[in-house]
Amino acid sequence: RRESGLASSYLYLFQEFWCPGIAIEGVKGFQKYFQAKDNDVVVASFPKTGTTWLIALTFAIVNRQYFSTENHPLLTSNPHTLVPCLEFKIFCDDIHDPVLHLSNMLEPRLFSTHTPFTALPKSITESNAKIVYICRNPFDTFISAWTYFNKIRSMSLPALELEEAFEMYCNGIVSFGPWWSHMLGYWKESMARPNKVLFLKYEDLKENVNFYVKNIAEFLGCPFTAEEERVGEIESIIKLCSFEKMKELEVNISGKLDKFIDNKFFFRKGEIGDWVNYFSPSMVNKLSKIIEEKLCGSGLSFKICS
Ligand code: A3P
């Protein structure tokens, strides 16, 4: 066990990743009891890499025939309540009987997870369930994580200084870390099985979200028709899920996900390159070297500035 790293609770080295204490039972329950269906969609991510955005987009894409943009659940609910997290919501104490709950969910079922690929249950990896993964450049991910966890920790743990948090991050001691193993696990699988795992980057979505909305829809077997494109369905989804739109919704201003997490914590700046406002030259040097060393030869690289 570590004192407390970049997380909202103590971190434990569990199955070769740093699992927040509050998620261990959830991960175990998920591994033991979850039965994937072939049409399940799992949005996987390392924390603070754009999960909220991707689950909103995926929810809107998959359910587009049911809702109009004027009367959409994303206008009144935070995306995390519409797409439950397997280890934090479904298999945590929130839901009395997770298996019954899962069997009652509308299909296709949409879930999110931060669990590394290597720790996913076989039921997911060996079924036809699809995985959409998002990651983000490690510089912005770090600043986003540091600011986020300090907001949550303020309830029970003292805030982490930037330097202390950075040391832990460089050593991989962060919720669901090391971040390099998390990314590489899904990256390798997406290379080996492109029909199983769609690997996305936050920076690419920021640059051309229209392309990736189509890409996600095709990957999930529900491509946009020419008619949908003509009437602007893609643009409506992009607008509905945009940072500016979601941040100003009442539910994301005053709502709470649970007793520790305010919905507004998920919407900070939503930019590429905010790290420049925090990093010293030696931090840039150190993190650049780690990225080079850990990702070397994998073919995975990141854009770090806008
Ligand atoms: P910043 O802290 O850099 O602003 P996650 O959803 O995985 O927790 O990631 C949170 C990060 O995604 C935050 O980054 C947040 O502002 C950003 N974000 C949340 N919703 C977004 C959206 N709809 N579009 C773009 N970025 C978004």
Side-chain angles (χ1 to χ4, degrees), residues 26-268:
V27 172
K28 283 187 190 162
F30 165 35
Q31 291 176 333
K32 193 164 170 194
Y33 299 113
F34 184 70
Q35 284 302 317
K37 296 186 180 180
D38 282 335
N39 59 349
D40 281 348
V41 177
V42 179
V43 174
S45 64
F46 189 74
K48 312 322 292 173
T49 58
T51 321
T52 313
W53 190 16
L54 183 60
I55 58 180
L57 288 170
T58 309
F59 181 90
I61 292 168
V62 167
N63 293 302
R64 65 187 187 270
Q65 75 271 37
Y66 304 121
F67 307 116
S68 72
T69 30
E70 295 76 46
N71 190 18
H72 202 284
L74 280 165
L75 295 171
T76 48
S77 303
N78 178 275
H80 293 276
T81 54
L82 298 171
V83 182
C85 178
L86 282 158
E87 61 273 4
F88 279 117
K89 278 280 157 203
I90 302 279
F91 288 100
C92 249
D93 21 295
D94 273 40
I95 293 174
H96 175 63
D97 186 344
V99 175
L100 178 68
H101 177 84
L102 289 166
S103 65
N104 288 334
M105 276 177 81
L106 290 179
E107 293 185 25
R109 303 182 305 176
L110 254 59
F111 303 103
S112 72
T113 187
H114 290 315
T115 301
F117 186 83
T118 45
L120 290 179
K122 282 204 169 54
S123 165
I124 291 187
T125 55
E126 291 177 4
S127 66
N128 287 329
K130 299 247 183 189
I131 300 173
V132 187
Y133 183 78
I134 189 160
C135 69
R136 187 182 192 184
N137 81 67
F139 288 81
D140 283 323
T141 303
F142 167 66
I143 294 301
S144 187
W146 175 62
T147 49
Y148 173 83
F149 286 120
N150 269 349
K151 285 177 198 148
I152 298 176
R153 287 165 61 97
S154 63
M155 322 275 175
S156 51
L157 298 163
L160 277 176
E161 295 295 331
L162 183 73
E163 291 70 22
E164 189 189 351
F166 185 66
E167 273 313 300
M168 289 183 172
Y169 186 74
C170 288
N171 290 321
I173 307 168
V174 45
S175 276
F176 300 95
W179 42 270
W180 52 85
S181 317
H182 201 284
M183 289 173 187
L184 288 173
Y186 284 95
W187 171 250
K188 286 178 190 154
E189 204 55 32
S190 75
M191 294 284 117
R193 292 199 290 166
N195 294 330
K196 175 78 183 174
V197 181
L198 178 66
F199 192 97
L200 303 171
K201 296 179 198 166
Y202 183 86
E203 295 75 23
D204 291 343
L205 258 73
K206 286 291 277 189
E207 211 165 88
N208 192 354
V209 64
N210 189 296
F211 173 86
Y212 288 101
V213 166
K214 285 194 216 165
N215 188 204
I216 294 167
E218 277 159 25
F219 174 75
L220 296 178
C222 54
F224 289 91
T225 61
E227 179 58 11
E228 283 179 313
E229 293 210 27
R230 196 188 62 77
V231 300
E233 183 71 31
I234 298 174
E235 288 72 19
S236 307
I237 290 176
I238 292 170
K239 202 168 156 204
L240 178 72
C241 301
S242 69
F243 179 80
E244 294 71 26
K245 176 80 189 167
M246 302 207 99
K247 193 182 164 93
E248 71 178 21
L249 294 172
E250 191 49 44
V251 65
N252 293 326
I253 294 173
S254 58
K256 284 178 90 66
L257 188 63
D258 57 37
K259 64 178 188 277
F260 300 112
I261 305 178
D262 292 358
N263 289 340
K264 62 172 180 278
F265 294 170
F266 292 104
F267 307 93
R268 194 183 61 97

